[in-house]
Amino acid sequence: MPDNQFNTMKTDILIIGSGIGGLATAIHIAEERPDLKITALTKTNEEESNTRYAQGGVAAVWDKEVDSFDKHIADTLDAGDGLCDGHIVEIVVEEGPERVQEIIQWGTRFDKQKEEYDLGREGGHSENRILHYKDLTGWEIQRSLLEKAEQLSNIEILEHYFAVDLITQHHLGYNVTRLMDDIECYGAYVFNKQTKNIDTILARVTVVATGGAGQVYRNTTNPVIATGDGIAMVYRAKGHLENMEFVQFHPTALYNPAGENPSFLVSEAVRGFGGILKTREGEEFMDKYDSRKSLAPRDIVARAIDNEIKQRGEECMFLDCRHLDEAGFRGHFPTIYDKCRSIGIDPMKDMIPIVPACHYMCGGIKVDEMGRSSIRRLYACGECTCTGLHGANRLASNSLLEALVFAQRISCDVLPLIDSLGHKEGIPDWNASGTTDPKEMVLITQSLKELKEVMSSYVGIVRSNVRLQRALDRLDLLYRETEELYHTTTISPQLCELRNLITIAYLVSRAAAMRRESRGLHYTTDYPEKLGFVQRSIL
Ligand code: FAD
Ligand code: SIN
């Protein structure tokens, strides 16, 4: 390809992702340093993200007469099943309310009752502490952060730019290994969906805020953009990852026999409002599993539902809301009510059919308390990270909070440092030689289907040695076929996403096979007990 088809751009801070993690980081830095150029990328349009679909809300200690930091800390540690980093839990819980106050000042609205915020309850929380905006909290946060970012002239959001790979010394011809502690990130190669070229974006600091990877499973609440790109890119760049085996399945996605991707979420806040899990015959079953019944932490509820479905040979279990006040239900959950009605279910007259669906990655890019990854000049924020907050199972509504706290911390770390960092010279353009246009898209779409089947059948809520080995064998073949395709055809976002999802699937399966115990979200029939010591799975 002739050189003039390539475009190299320089920015001060490159942020890959424009959900809550990316936008909050951009805003903090932009407000403090109007002279810095901040470029945020999004692979589709700026509104689309996991953030946009968040329903329940943001957990934060608000009513100090009833609630306390100690209680929120204890709930987070309890859900995390011994694997949380206590120091990080304290940081997030204690700094959280100030960060939430900040986004309120930036324009985020939360529901109130009279003058006070209407605090909701979700599984694993001992107090009402969830700030929410109806059942559209994420939509409201995404809206307000985008509006705030637009007011800051030094933030540029580039839509339809797909980050392909992080640039490190590897691209200058050096041998880079995972054991090195001086890997540096100089920016990213990005696929410009309009020109179909791979552009080079050079940055003094890069932040990965690419969200989750739910699309690695057949049923997921995550939108189709959630393909784990950032986690896979950091892994390829030889950065460290942690706790990849802990994949959270949300207990209550709407069961829609017609099938839909993503699955529609029925918020845990509905159970916090009084909804009760029942069998088709209308019997409660959660008391067999946990004294907190329908409001036990997610790992316990999802496993219980999975078990009931399998034992009874059913397609789904049910959420009974028929006893709840109709006006209250419709006021709090207008989207859920409308969605149920659209598939012929009246939540006031019928029980809502539900199934567990992949919802959240507790593991990811290992970062320290300032959001620094193991690669220099590279930070990460939001769902793509493993900060130590969630441990083996995330407490509901702690994810948005974590992103807000770490966004501010990243800005505190970057600001004193940025002036000492320059742009790296001599970075080559993307090398597309020897590749041709793909002829058969079916090679990509079919592999994606197979991948989701493998993960759903063998690496789901209940695992075993045999299932995990089978998954790893199947993934090996998919990996080899896809690498061959990747190296011989021109790049497309679909091919990159498939490649990234295969990496995620491998990492989840590998970490799961390494963990010889059952803890939090990882349950294996071969090792049903918890070990007496804490083992972290670093990849
Ligand atoms: P996202 O919001 O997913 O943003 C990712 C961004 O990265 C997007 O802009 C995307 O385009 C971009 N991107 C990804 N890959 C690339 C690439 N290769 N190149 C360029 N750009 C890229 N959490 C809570 O705390 N409370 C809740 O109530 C709650 N409810 C939820 C409900 C649903 C249905 C779902 C799916 C999740 C929910 N969560 C909730 C989890 C929470 O929403 C997410 O963890 C959080 O929003 C993730 O934010 P993020 O900024 O890390 O990523
Ligand atoms: C929900 O509303 O149930 C989702 C909350 C979360 O994932 O934190």
Side-chain angles (χ1 to χ4, degrees), residues 20-29 99 102 106 207 370-371 380-382 401-414:
I20 189 170
L23 288 175
T25 308
I27 293 167
H28 277 294
I29 298 176
R99 300 286 81 80
E102 223 155 44
W106 293 349
V207 182
M370 301 310 288
C381 188
L401 188 72
E402 177 190 49
L404 291 176
V405 167
F406 274 86
Q408 192 264 355
R409 290 190 145 248
I410 289 171
S411 86
C412 289
D413 204 68
V414 165

Side-chain angles (χ1 to χ4, degrees), residues 16-22 41-44 48-51 53-57 122 161-163 209-212 221-223 225 229 233 265 359-360 381-384 394 397-401:
I16 310 176
S18 69
I20 189 170
L41 305 183
T42 167
K43 66 178 175 179
T44 58
E48 185 60 336
S49 60
N50 267 12
T51 300
Y53 297 91
Q55 290 187 356
E122 291 180 74
Y161 273 81
F162 185 102
T210 45
T221 62
N222 291 192
I225 57 132
D229 301 345
M233 279 192 281
L265 181 72
H359 184 62
Y360 186 86
C381 188
E383 186 168 340
C384 62
R394 176 178 66 102
S397 288
N398 263 358
S399 165
L400 298 170
L401 188 72

Side-chain angles (χ1 to χ4, degrees), residues 178-235:
R178 217 169 291 286
L179 295 177
M180 285 166 54
D181 63 3
D182 59 351
I183 308 174
E184 289 192 325
C185 178
Y186 307 124
Y189 289 117
V190 303
F191 180 85
N192 176 337
K193 288 188 178 177
Q194 268 171 349
T195 62
K196 306 221 179 310
N197 277 345
I198 308 267
D199 297 339
T200 308
I201 303 187
L202 297 176
R204 294 153 81 187
V205 160
T206 302
V207 182
V208 176
T210 45
Q215 286 293 325
V216 77
Y217 288 91
R218 192 181 45 224
N219 295 322
T220 176
T221 62
N222 291 192
V224 293
I225 57 132
T227 53
D229 301 345
I231 300 175
M233 279 192 281
V234 170
Y235 186 68

Side-chain angles (χ1 to χ4, degrees), residues 28 146 180 249 302 321 362 446 524:
H28 277 294
L146 281 172
M180 285 166 54
F249 284 75
C321 299
C362 292
Q446 193 54 34
T524 160

Side-chain angles (χ1 to χ4, degrees), residues 444-475:
I444 296 175
T445 51
Q446 193 54 34
S447 291
L448 185 57
K449 265 192 213 152
E450 279 176 45
L451 176 72
K452 287 170 183 254
E453 284 305 317
V454 167
M455 291 303 285
S456 305
S457 304
Y458 302 132
V459 202
I461 294 176
V462 176
R463 299 157 180 183
S464 71
N465 287 346
V466 175
R467 290 185 204 186
L468 292 174
Q469 191 52 53
R470 194 168 273 203
L472 285 163
D473 291 345
R474 302 291 190 276
L475 291 173

Side-chain angles (χ1 to χ4, degrees), residues 55-57 122 135 250 252 264-272 319 333 336:
Q55 290 187 356
E122 291 180 74
D135 53 5
H250 196 292
T252 58
F264 181 82
L265 181 72
V266 180
S267 174
E268 202 156 300
V270 173
R271 278 174 281 141
L319 187 57
F333 310 114
I336 295 171

